[in-house]
Amino acid sequence: MAVALPSFLTAIMIMSRLMAFIGITRNNDMSSKLQALDIAPKLSYDPSAIESASQDFGHIVKAVPQAVLLPSSPWDIASLVNFSYSNSVPFSIAARGNSHSVNGQAMAKNGVVIDMTSMKNGNGTGIRIANYLYLTVGGTLSNAGISGQTFRYGPQISNVYEIDVITGTADFVTCSPNNNSDLFYAALGGLGQFGIITRARIPLEPAPKRVKWVRMLYTDFSDFTRDQELLISKNGRNDNKALNYLEGSLLLDQGSLDNWRSSFFPPQDQPKIISLITKFHIVYCLEIVKHYDGQTKTTVDKDLQQLLKGLSYLPGFMFEKDAKYEEFLNRVHSEELKLKAKGLWDVPHPWLNLFIPKSKISDFNDGVFKSIVLQRNITTGPVLVYPMNRKK
Ligand SMILES: Cc1cc2nc3c(=O)[nH]c(=O)nc-3n(C[C@H](O)[C@H](O)[C@H](O)COP(=O)(O)OP(=O)(O)OC[C@H]3O[C@@H](n4cnc5c(N)ncnc54)[C@H](O)[C@@H]3O)c2cc1C
């Protein structure tokens, strides 16, 4: 029987390596004016703070600020913004979460960077957020927040009740879909260009204790995308039987399986996975997660089998892991630690996010994945493929 699918989009994330730097200048006049402000004790000129605020995860752009503000309240931020606004020559201000941007978006050349993580003990938006736990609420709400749960809930910015924003004129504005909605929709996904988010009211749900975590391999791209679409069309619902997480990725023929996402696979199965990749050069990996706890422990395996029924992954290439929820949440960080130990984390990271309509995803596989990413060997970083519903 044919399944009627809603219209789909696929988000693709590609990370690679490249290097470039831009120049540096200093403004002593501004520094002395900053030192006269009431927030002066919270401004840091420490070389290590300046150096850290001059770069980001991308390591492509470098822009040196005059100072770094460590605010303990939104009023400290408003005081700085007000000073810049009323200055004869306003200077740049950038909010910085954990600086996981890739192209200098959280930098302020010759200006002041606001380290939002210094507000994490209050009601600030510098606190960490799930999926990759080292991103911040403010940083992801200023981008979009796409992950393996987007098929169910939409991006993070579609899940916000209300935010407080300090505008460029240093006004405090509370906004929501029904209240100052222009600013609400501009600040969400606004890369900090419409104001600084100092509070966000977002829905939360209880964390499960454990997860069933499954990866399945495909050599046929149509089977892979058809299964992704089938799974998200069946699992948009909010009940206990639905999938909790779905992601896709590419395994490329690069001589070994030693990349930052490979440790999931049991060591004894790695030779046969490497042979598969060597033979087909590109293998598609579908990853799903089902949460469970004490109450659902006895039914989770049956529910999982039900979800996997009818999928077309390669026989013998389905791998399952039972893990603590924290281990799943911290999976990127564990790989980060391994790369750091090899000196491979603090390298340039060009990063491309694209939304591809369902009608073009097959052309994209042939023209980009096979003919560019694989043939020209342009990345050793992850290439992720998230299916999502356009209506979310
Ligand atoms: C390993 C890794 C995994 C990732 N995984 C995902 C993922 O699964 N899904 C996803 O969507 N993204 C992911 N990202 C990308 C991430 O969302 C962006 O890099 C983003 O920049 C968030 O990082 P950050 O919190 O450190 O914010 P920063 O990089 O510090 O800031 C991001 C932008 O937001 C602005 N900003 C920060 N705080 C505020 C604030 N309070 N008010 C207004 N503007 C603010 C900054 O000025 C900047 O423009 C990942 C990044 C890395 C490095």
Side-chain angles (χ1 to χ4, degrees):
M1 189 182 84
V3 179
L5 296 174
S7 70
F8 292 112
L9 281 175
T10 302
I12 311 279
M13 296 188 182
I14 304 180
M15 284 168 64
S16 187
R17 297 179 178 182
L18 202 78
M19 176 118 53
F21 288 105
I22 63 169
I24 305 164
T25 54
R26 284 226 160 268
N27 179 344
N28 291 332
D29 181 44
M30 192 186 111
S31 284
S32 58
K33 284 185 180 168
L34 284 171
Q35 278 162 27
L37 291 178
D38 56 344
I39 50 166
K42 295 175 183 173
L43 286 164
S44 172
Y45 303 88
D46 181 80
S48 65
I50 299 282
E51 176 62 16
S52 152
S54 308
Q55 43 187 307
D56 59 20
F57 178 76
H59 288 290
I60 294 166
V61 171
K62 183 158 186 168
V64 181
Q66 294 281 319
V68 176
L69 177 67
L70 303 165
S72 46
S73 76
W75 289 273
D76 293 339
I77 297 172
S79 177
L80 179 76
V81 174
N82 186 46
F83 173 62
S84 174
Y85 178 62
S86 41
N87 212 29
S88 52
V89 185
F91 53 88
S92 304
I93 294 177
R96 177 182 189 264
N98 268 339
S99 209
H100 279 101
S101 293
V102 286
N103 203 26
Q105 290 92 339
M107 295 179 196
K109 189 180 175 189
N110 290 326
V112 179
V113 168
I114 306 176
D115 179 353
M116 299 302 292
T117 62
S118 73
M119 303 234 299
K120 67 184 164 199
N121 294 327
N123 58 359
T125 49
I127 58 167
R128 291 171 183 174
I129 189 152
N131 199 24
Y132 171 50
L133 299 180
Y134 295 81
L135 307 174
T136 61
V137 174
T140 46
L141 291 186
S142 301
N143 278 274
I146 305 280
S147 83
Q149 297 187 68
T150 303
F151 75 91
R152 247 177 113 168
Y153 303 110
Q156 246 172 277
I157 54 172
S158 296
N159 293 275
V160 182
Y161 295 132
E162 185 180 271
I163 50 177
D164 284 352
V165 176
I166 296 175
T167 67
T169 50
D171 293 311
F172 285 77
V173 182
T174 296
C175 46
S176 67
N178 301 318
N179 183 18
N180 297 307
S181 60
D182 284 356
L183 182 59
F184 181 76
Y185 291 116
L188 293 175
L191 288 177
Q193 300 303 298
F194 298 90
I196 295 174
I197 303 168
T198 55
R199 183 184 64 93
R201 197 153 69 82
I202 51 181
L204 299 175
E205 61 177 20
K209 293 248 177 322
R210 299 192 66 86
V211 299
K212 294 281 179 182
W213 187 359
V214 178
R215 282 192 188 172
M216 295 156 270
L217 302 187
Y218 298 75
T219 49
D220 185 303
F221 187 69
S222 314
D223 286 346
F224 166 71
T225 51
R226 197 176 38 251
D227 281 359
Q228 279 199 326
E229 289 163 8
L230 185 65
L231 283 168
I232 75 168
S233 67
K234 283 205 294 196
N235 285 280
R237 58 191 195 206
N238 273 338
D239 69 35
N240 284 340
K241 308 255 178 243
L243 267 186
N244 297 101
Y245 190 93
L246 189 152
E247 185 176 292
S249 59
L250 266 53
L251 302 178
L252 300 170
D253 185 8
Q254 290 168 329
S256 86
L257 199 57
D258 185 23
N259 72 33
W260 74 333
R261 300 174 48 80
S262 58
S263 58
F264 174 93
F265 298 110
Q268 68 274 18
D269 289 316
Q270 297 209 4
K272 78 171 182 182
I273 299 174
I274 293 171
S275 301
L276 187 75
I277 303 171
T278 310
K279 183 169 175 199
F280 289 91
H281 307 299
I282 183 162
V283 169
Y284 308 95
C285 174
L286 203 166
E287 177 164 5
I288 61 170
V289 167
K290 180 94 193 84
H291 297 169
Y292 75 97
D293 53 27
Q295 278 190 330
T296 45
K297 191 164 78 178
T298 51
T299 52
V300 66
D301 285 322
K302 203 167 135 220
D303 291 345
L304 191 62
Q305 289 317 313
Q306 199 58 33
L307 289 165
L308 298 180
K309 216 162 139 187
L311 299 186
S312 309
Y313 55 88
L314 293 174
F317 287 91
M318 194 267 262
F319 306 93
E320 190 180 329
K321 195 167 172 173
D322 188 310
K324 277 189 173 169
Y325 185 52
E326 291 89 329
E327 183 190 339
F328 169 68
L329 280 188
N330 232 358
R331 67 201 177 284
V332 179
H333 185 54
S334 346
E335 302 302 329
E336 172 185 348
L337 294 178
K338 284 185 209 153
L339 288 177
K340 277 192 167 153
K342 294 180 190 168
L344 292 175
W345 185 256
D346 295 319
V347 294
H349 293 112
W351 181 312
L352 180 65
N353 287 342
L354 295 170
F355 291 92
I356 317 284
K358 175 184 156 85
S359 60
K360 294 284 175 221
I361 190 69
S362 181
D363 295 344
F364 193 85
N365 178 52
D366 292 334
V368 178
F369 288 159
K370 288 187 171 166
S371 306
I372 300 178
V373 177
L374 181 66
Q375 292 296 330
R376 298 192 197 166
N377 198 16
I378 62 165
T379 181
T380 52
V383 181
L384 307 178
V385 183
Y386 295 103
M388 56 188 68
N389 287 300
R390 200 188 282 264
K391 64 176 190 271
K392 301 255 179 186

